[in-house]
Amino acid sequence: MRNRARDTITFGIASAAIILFVGTGGQALQQVIKAMQGNGIGPDNLMVSALLLNVALILLGWRHYRQLVTEVDLHRQAEDQAKQLADRDHLTGFLNRRSLSIAADELITACAARGESVALLMADLDSFKQINDVHGHGVGDNVLQQCARRIAEILPARSLSARIGGDEFACMIPFDSRHPEQLDELASALIEAVALPAQGSELQIDITMSIGIARGDGPLSGGATQATVKALLHSADIAMYHAKRKGRNRYFWFETSMENEMRVRRELEAGIRAGIPLGEFVPYYEQQIDLKTGKLTGFEMLARWKSPNFGIVGPQIFIPVAEDIGLIGQMSEGLIAQALQDAKAWDPALTLSVNISPIQFRDPWFSQKLLKLLVEANFPPKRLEIEITESCLHENVGAVRTLLASLKNQGIRISLDDFGTGYSSFSQLSELPIDSIKIDRSFVQKLTSGGDNATIVRAISTMGAGMGLPITAEGIESEEVLKELRTFGDFKGQGYLYGMPEPADETHKRLADLNLLAVPSEPFSATTAQQDRKAAAG
Ligand code: C2E
Ligand code: CA
Ligand code: CA
């Protein structure tokens, strides 16, 4: 306000000065010039003073005018900066969701006018939450910035790139509809680029990304016929989730069939969230046998979901979902607590094996959490074995070694599950404190039906013998396979030949019949077991 008043006054003074200057200046200047030529009297003092005053006022006006221009410039710059901040993601400099929507609308219109198509590519980092949890938010931010840089380097000209969620990027790309393979190449290149090791960082973080692509001239979610930004975003999102479900680190084009899957997936997620506190996840037990003596040595706990909506659900369905929605740790702790109570009723010579997800293995508190469960259940650690897969070993090797050492110090044994399907190196195996390996059932099931299976099983058994590592063969379904396995060495084994995984009460009955209960007279009671669990959980 003050500035405006000042500007008005300045403008008034300068204008008046100019008018006066024209009025007085003409006359005074004439007199001065004449006096200098020697044919006239000198100018009137009053006139000269008025003239000088006018000049001063004009200069003053000019100075104020310059000041005003500078101020307007600064103001405009600040406005631009504020707009930039509102339009841009502060971390990556990419557009944000709001500004993407505006820019994408414009791009769709422009492309339509040029006879081009547009595609929306939605990219989401896999397991970013764990990076944040394990390495801290600073590292997480660096990862995001680095990914954004790599995405920006690869995107074709005129593309838009936005960060629309924590670890979610959306890119809109103009393309020639006759050559959609360009987008296949682009998606592969993006996945490859983010996976490159970070430069100048000592941390070795594996970064993978899942991508969904929707094209404006293709099918869209909800049967939408118009390629709006909203429809494209939604369709690409569905395709991206499909890529996650199919194992992550890959891309998919949107197809209408994916929508159904998405609905089921939402129901699963909601069911799992609700089912954990309601105790719907229960342990089943599969016998483990010493193949040489035929004696029962213990059980592997395998999770089942008694879902009111879906019936009995297997872990292949719900474990990956629980991992994705960050509930695997909580679910697994509940299951292990139940299993420890069940196993306390068994003969103390029998062991209990539990499967641990690689996600749990990244938790720096994992070892403490497991110890707490053992203490609460008053269960001897040496009766517990954890089964981890090779993928647990590929991340931060130093941290993995510390974790394994800490578990071993407590007396817990560690078994490497699904051996042969991953890519553990020989040196890795000999360096890490692993107690046994389990040959994946895919090799065992078809051991006698030719192919390379027998060769692989023989190689693993030779390696195990060389390293002093006991071997368990899983997936024994027939006497034939059992007989063949016995020729390789002294294995432990499990599989449908010995029985399907059973719930706690059936396992209890089986052990009672074999006279293998800790307190032989006590019948299994689900209620007592439940009460014990509650008491143990405090
Ligand atoms: P896994 O650890 O390899 O478990 C063995 C799987 O093979 C079990 O499937 C078991 O039922 C099945 N199986 C056992 N014997 C035979 C056989 O003779 N033939 C065939 N074809 N299959 C056999 P299940 O129970 O569906 O478990 C699947 C996977 O889910 C497990 O594979 C394990 O990786 C995972 N899982 C199970 N429970 C848990 C858990 O509590 N936590 C975590 N993180 N993963 C679990
Ligand atoms: Ca297992
Ligand atoms: Ca296995």
Side-chain angles (χ1 to χ4, degrees):
M1 268 319 258
R2 254 186 56 224
N3 277 357
R4 196 175 304 154
R6 195 192 63 199
D7 297 339
T8 317
I9 292 168
T10 311
F11 178 74
I13 294 173
S15 311
I18 290 169
I19 294 167
L20 280 173
F21 181 77
V22 175
T24 57
Q27 223 179 332
L29 275 178
Q30 253 176 10
Q31 286 177 5
V32 171
I33 292 164
K34 274 187 187 160
M36 280 168 70
Q37 287 169 342
N39 48 8
I41 49 161
D44 182 340
N45 268 351
L46 193 66
M47 274 298 202
V48 174
S49 303
L51 179 70
L52 288 177
L53 182 65
N54 278 339
V55 172
L57 287 177
I58 289 170
L59 285 176
L60 176 81
W62 175 250
R63 225 186 72 208
H64 276 283
Y65 168 75
R66 289 305 315 160
Q67 230 171 11
L68 191 67
V69 168
T70 315
E71 267 177 34
V72 167
D73 274 353
L74 286 175
H75 192 69
R76 194 173 300 136
Q77 271 170 21
E79 258 179 7
D80 284 352
Q81 219 168 14
K83 187 167 177 306
Q84 174 98 349
L85 281 177
D87 283 352
R88 294 276 161 182
D89 166 49
H90 69 281
L91 193 67
T92 58
F94 275 14
L95 298 172
N96 54 33
R97 191 181 272 275
R98 193 186 59 84
S99 52
L100 169 73
S101 159
I102 299 165
D105 262 340
E106 287 166 6
L107 187 59
I108 291 173
T109 315
C111 285
R114 299 166 75 139
E116 274 177 326
S117 296
V118 288
L120 199 124
L121 192 147
M122 181 84 84
D124 188 289
L125 301 188
D126 301 323
S127 319
F128 180 70
K129 188 177 176 299
Q130 275 78 41
I131 297 178
N132 257 342
D133 289 351
V134 174
H135 301 288
H137 287 261
V139 172
D141 284 356
N142 281 342
V143 165
L144 289 173
Q145 284 169 329
Q146 177 194 304
C147 287
R149 263 199 306 277
R150 290 176 182 183
I151 292 172
E153 274 167 18
I154 292 178
L155 284 185
R158 293 190 294 125
S159 304
L160 300 173
S161 48
R163 178 170 166 238
I164 58 170
D167 59 345
E168 231 178 357
F169 299 99
C171 308
M172 185 170 263
I173 302 134
F175 77 104
D176 179 344
S177 62
R178 291 165 305 177
H179 295 290
E181 72 279 0
Q182 293 170 341
L183 289 160
D184 289 280
E185 284 159 20
L186 175 68
S188 304
L190 287 171
I191 289 172
E192 231 170 82
V194 299
L196 291 174
Q199 277 164 356
S201 164
E202 291 181 358
L203 277 176
Q204 170 87 44
I205 303 176
D206 290 330
I207 299 163
T208 61
M209 189 163 81
S210 300
I211 295 179
I213 316 172
R215 54 189 287 180
D217 56 355
L220 290 168
S221 83
T225 46
Q226 251 218 310
T228 57
V229 185
K230 198 173 158 211
L232 281 165
L233 275 171
H234 195 227
S235 312
D237 199 42
I238 290 174
M240 188 273 289
Y241 272 106
H242 186 83
K244 293 256 181 204
R245 278 196 304 280
K246 290 292 171 195
R248 305 173 181 157
N249 196 24
R250 61 199 68 209
Y251 72 91
F252 273 93
W253 289 85
F254 172 79
E255 284 168 29
T256 29
S257 61
M258 292 173 181
E259 276 186 294
N260 253 338
E261 280 173 45
M262 192 81 177
R263 201 170 28 250
V264 173
R265 162 79 186 202
R266 291 230 178 82
E267 283 169 18
L268 277 177
E269 287 183 9
I272 291 171
R273 275 183 214 285
I276 294 177
L278 293 174
E280 288 171 10
F281 293 88
V282 295
Y284 271 46
Y285 299 97
E286 177 168 318
Q287 303 171 65
Q288 297 184 310
I289 309 287
D290 180 333
L291 296 189
K292 196 171 162 198
T293 62
K295 271 192 166 164
L296 179 70
T297 60
F299 293 89
E300 174 177 3
M301 187 269 277
L302 294 160
R304 296 289 180 269
W305 178 18
K306 285 187 175 170
S307 157
N309 286 344
F310 304 105
I312 304 262
V313 185
Q316 313 275 43
I317 306 281
F318 63 79
I319 296 280
V321 183
E323 286 177 339
D324 278 352
I325 60 177
L327 290 179
I328 185 68
Q330 196 187 334
M331 173 189 286
S332 175
E333 282 164 41
L335 282 159
I336 295 173
Q338 294 181 51
L340 293 176
Q341 291 303 328
D342 292 334
K344 267 171 75 176
W346 308 342
D347 186 300
L350 295 173
T351 56
L352 170 70
S353 252
V354 297
N355 293 283
I356 300 298
S357 148
I359 308 247
Q360 288 170 278
F361 224 63
R362 290 187 202 142
D363 176 358
W365 298 103
F366 173 71
S367 160
Q368 278 84 345
K369 286 178 180 168
L370 200 57
L371 185 62
K372 183 164 173 271
L373 290 172
L374 286 166
V375 170
E376 278 168 357
N378 191 22
F379 192 87
K382 67 172 180 15
R383 282 184 67 193
L384 182 70
E385 179 173 80
I386 62 164
E387 299 191 3
I388 59 174
T389 52
E390 289 164 88
S391 54
C392 291
L393 308 176
H394 295 305
E395 291 180 22
N396 193 338
V397 179
V400 168
R401 190 172 296 131
T402 314
L403 178 51
L404 291 176
S406 140
L407 292 167
K408 264 191 93 90
N409 282 341
Q410 294 170 27
I412 297 166
R413 272 164 313 116
I414 295 134
S415 167
L416 199 54
D417 205 356
D418 302 343
F419 192 78
T421 57
Y423 18 73
S424 283
S425 69
F426 184 78
S427 69
Q428 215 176 14
L429 272 187
S430 54
E431 275 171 29
L432 293 167
I434 305 282
D435 297 289
S436 61
I437 47 187
K438 294 184 79 171
I439 307 181
D440 189 67
R441 61 181 183 273
S442 56
F443 306 117
V444 179
Q445 271 169 312
K446 297 200 187 93
L447 186 62
T448 48
S449 43
D452 295 334
N453 291 332
T455 318
I456 293 169
V457 174
R458 177 166 294 113
I460 296 176
S461 71
T462 311
M463 188 200 72
M467 296 173 70
L469 285 175
I471 289 174
T472 302
E474 50 178 34
I476 307 174
E477 293 180 351
S478 67
E479 289 288 352
E480 231 186 319
V481 166
L482 173 64
K483 206 167 135 223
E484 179 78 9
L485 273 175
R486 284 205 177 113
T487 65
F488 292 126
D490 294 341
F491 287 2
K492 276 211 290 183
Q494 56 186 96
Y496 294 164
L497 178 66
Y498 300 99
M500 304 289 284
E502 296 165 336
D505 53 350
E506 282 175 36
T507 305
H508 194 90
K509 237 184 286 152
R510 175 183 292 281
L511 292 176
D513 292 345
L514 293 168
N515 207 12
L516 283 175
L517 284 179
V519 187
S521 57
E522 201 179 302
F524 179 85
S525 148
T527 3
T528 328
Q530 201 101 41
Q531 276 163 0
D532 283 352
R533 269 166 216 151
K534 286 211 174 114

